[in-house]
């Protein structure tokens, strides 16, 4: 199939809406990452998403709405704490999980009794949902296992020939996927960190637990609360090692590694401005003191490392404070949980 590249114009948004209404797939921009969208109420359309991405069947999708009033029909009921979250953070990069209604096909919830819903803030996204006239199920628009795409070119690189169209809405603002919180547990639980931070959620919810899979690796035999958390994710072809420590310690660590293996194509994934100090080819991912610049850059930086043919990557470790938790969570998965402490 030939994949159309649509532009951010009223005509092309109408065209995207028509494809979606007809049961086709369109990759769409959002403020988090590009999403691979289908009509969320059409199980057969949603099933095509899993094929196009090579996504495991047991990994549920997020349903995107363009008006708060669409939420009610998708869930069993909306409790007061869910409404409070919506008032504070919607439209925006927060996904809320609640028990689902009968309208949600099994393909969307992957057989779970719950559904994840998000009301995105990007105007183009909402216009596309409006044009489709239905809520849109959309996971990230990457091939399963690759870094999520944050621009139309990366989306096209992964989806060309697999879907009807990609709509180019420019670069995604946040660059990492939404915060996912479930209210279907006795105490609200953070399943995936994003641009809405645990501190912000606690201010509204009071209590919030953080799922073990957020900052660590799921132990053998433990069932994942969020199925997406158990898969190897965001992986470039290079082998990444996260090096904890100050810049000086990082520099000593890579000097020692280079002595061991002088011939491997090694790169550094470092913060802006560190390139001159680092004796390796560098790809940067934002400012050390600004996690929003890191989230904006991270997935693009991972794809750049592949484009350069990096075999081994030493990565500077981000702070886990605030939005940093989301950056660290994604980098940790890209590194296959390989973290070392530089002395
Ligand atoms: P993606 O946006 O591609 O990363 O995929 C959606 C993420 O939300 C995955 O990590 C899913 O496991 C998670 N998710 C979606 N629906 C649910 C649900 N009902 N319960 C738990 N996690 C969910
Ligand atoms: Mg994804």
């Amino acid at each position: 199939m030939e994949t159309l590249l649509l532009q951010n114009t009223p005509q092309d948004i109408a065209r995207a809406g028509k494809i979606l209404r007809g049961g086709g797939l369109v990759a769409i921009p959002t403020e988090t990452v590009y999403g691979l969208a289908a009509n969320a109420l059409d199980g057969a359309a949603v099933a095509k998403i899993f094929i196009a991405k090579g996504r495991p069947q047991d990994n549920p999708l997020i349903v995107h709405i363009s008006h708060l009033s669409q939420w009610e029909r998708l869930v069993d009921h909306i409790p007061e704490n869910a409404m409070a979250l919506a008032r504070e953070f919607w439209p925006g990069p927060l996904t809320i999980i609640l028990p689902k209604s009968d309208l949600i096909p099994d393909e969307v919830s992957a057989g779970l009794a719950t559904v994840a819903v998000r009301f995105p803030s990007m105007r183009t996204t909402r216009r596309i949902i409006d044009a489709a006239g239905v809520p849109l199920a959309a996971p990230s628009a990457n091939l399963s296992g690759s870094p999520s795409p944050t621009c139309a070119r990366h989306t096209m690189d992964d989806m060309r020939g697999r879907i009807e169209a990609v709509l180019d809405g420019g670069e995604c603002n946040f660059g990492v996927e939404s915060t996912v919180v479930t209210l279907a547990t006795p105490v609200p639980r953070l399943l995936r960190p994003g641009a809405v931070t645990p501190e912000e959620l606690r201010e509204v919810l009071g209590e919030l637990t953080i799922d073990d899979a957020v900052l660590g690796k799921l132990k053998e035999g433990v069932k994942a609360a969020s199925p997406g958390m158990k898969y190897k994710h965001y992986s470039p072809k290079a082998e990444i090692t996260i090096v904890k420590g100050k810049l000086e310690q990082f520099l000593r660590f890579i000097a020692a590694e280079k002595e061991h293996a002088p011939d491997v194509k090694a790169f550094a994934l470092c913060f802006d401005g560190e390139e001159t100090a680092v004796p390796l080819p560098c790809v940067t991912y934002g400012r050390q003191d600004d996690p929003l610049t890191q989230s904006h850059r991270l997935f693009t930086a991972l794809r750049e490392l592949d484009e350069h043919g990096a075999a081994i990557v030493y990565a500077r470790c981000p702070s886990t404070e605030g939005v940093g938790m989301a950056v660290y969570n994604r980098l940790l998965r890209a590194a296959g949980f390989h973290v070392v402490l530089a002395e």
Side-chain angles (χ1 to χ4, degrees):
M1 135 178 15
E2 199 192 328
T3 303
L4 290 170
L5 181 62
L6 302 176
Q7 300 304 317
N8 193 358
T9 60
Q11 293 81 353
D12 277 7
I13 287 173
R15 218 165 150 189
K18 196 168 164 208
I19 295 169
L20 289 161
R21 249 196 330 278
L25 303 186
V26 182
I28 63 171
T30 80
E31 74 275 22
T32 59
V33 301
Y34 273 70
L36 180 53
N39 175 356
L41 307 180
D42 176 351
V46 172
K48 294 185 206 162
I49 292 177
F50 289 83
I51 296 165
K53 279 185 61 101
R55 184 176 177 98
Q57 298 285 340
D58 67 348
N59 195 3
L61 309 179
I62 295 170
V63 178
H64 295 72
I65 57 176
S66 52
H67 298 275
L68 203 55
S69 58
Q70 293 166 315
W71 195 17
E72 256 177 340
R73 301 177 59 221
L74 306 175
V75 295
D76 180 56
H77 86 285
I78 301 174
E80 181 43 42
N81 60 355
M83 223 34 192
L85 284 180
R87 270 196 301 271
E88 188 67 27
F89 301 110
W90 278 3
L94 176 69
T95 295
I96 302 174
I97 295 176
L98 287 170
K100 75 182 188 83
S101 77
D102 294 340
L103 267 188
I104 299 293
D106 280 341
E107 286 83 355
V108 169
S109 55
L112 299 176
T114 51
V115 65
V117 178
R118 188 165 93 80
F119 181 0
S121 62
M122 187 180 184
R123 249 190 249 123
T124 304
T125 320
R126 278 148 48 186
R127 286 187 183 131
I128 297 167
I129 302 169
D130 284 343
V134 285
L136 298 178
S140 53
N142 51 290
L143 288 173
S144 214
S146 318
S148 301
T150 55
C151 65
R153 181 170 71 83
H154 294 162
T155 307
M156 209 35 127
D157 286 346
D158 279 18
M159 288 299 144
R160 185 176 285 111
R162 296 172 166 266
I163 63 174
E164 277 78 0
V166 173
L167 194 137
D168 187 350
E171 274 184 28
C172 300
N173 181 18
F174 293 115
V176 293
E177 305 84 348
S178 58
T179 302
V180 178
V181 66
T182 181
L183 301 179
T185 45
V187 175
R189 184 186 299 183
L190 179 76
L191 299 183
R192 178 170 77 182
V196 174
T197 66
E199 296 78 17
E200 289 174 315
L201 292 173
R202 277 202 184 100
E203 270 188 34
V204 175
L205 293 170
E207 293 186 290
L208 176 79
T209 57
I210 300 198
D211 197 84
D212 286 345
V214 167
L215 289 178
K217 190 177 181 173
L218 266 187
K219 294 179 194 69
E220 285 301 317
V222 173
K223 191 166 177 283
S226 174
M229 287 293 202
K230 72 184 179 206
Y231 295 108
K232 191 170 178 204
H233 247 84
Y234 319 119
S235 304
K237 293 177 192 85
E239 192 182 298
I240 301 184
T241 300
I242 302 175
V243 183
K244 272 194 170 158
K246 296 207 174 74
L247 179 61
E248 305 87 85
Q249 294 162 320
F250 178 82
L251 295 176
R252 276 204 295 278
F253 182 86
I254 57 177
E257 291 282 305
K258 234 170 108 177
E259 244 173 64
H260 281 305
D263 299 330
V264 287
K265 206 164 173 195
F267 275 71
L269 177 61
C270 56
F271 298 121
D272 296 353
E274 294 178 344
E275 305 93 302
T276 46
V278 176
L280 285 177
C282 289
V283 169
T284 58
Y285 78 107
R287 286 174 34 198
Q288 182 168 14
D289 61 356
D290 186 350
L292 278 171
T293 63
Q294 296 164 15
S295 71
H296 182 77
R297 270 285 301 165
L298 180 67
F299 288 139
T300 296
L302 294 178
R303 283 180 184 252
E304 284 172 7
L305 288 165
D306 273 351
E307 284 164 15
H308 293 312
I312 286 196
V313 176
Y314 301 104
R316 294 273 283 130
C317 187
S319 150
T320 55
E321 295 295 305
V323 179
M325 186 186 277
V327 176
Y328 182 71
N329 169 277
R330 305 311 190 277
L331 185 57
L332 190 62
R333 279 162 178 76
F337 299 93
H338 191 208
V339 186
V340 297
L341 188 65
E343 304 294 343

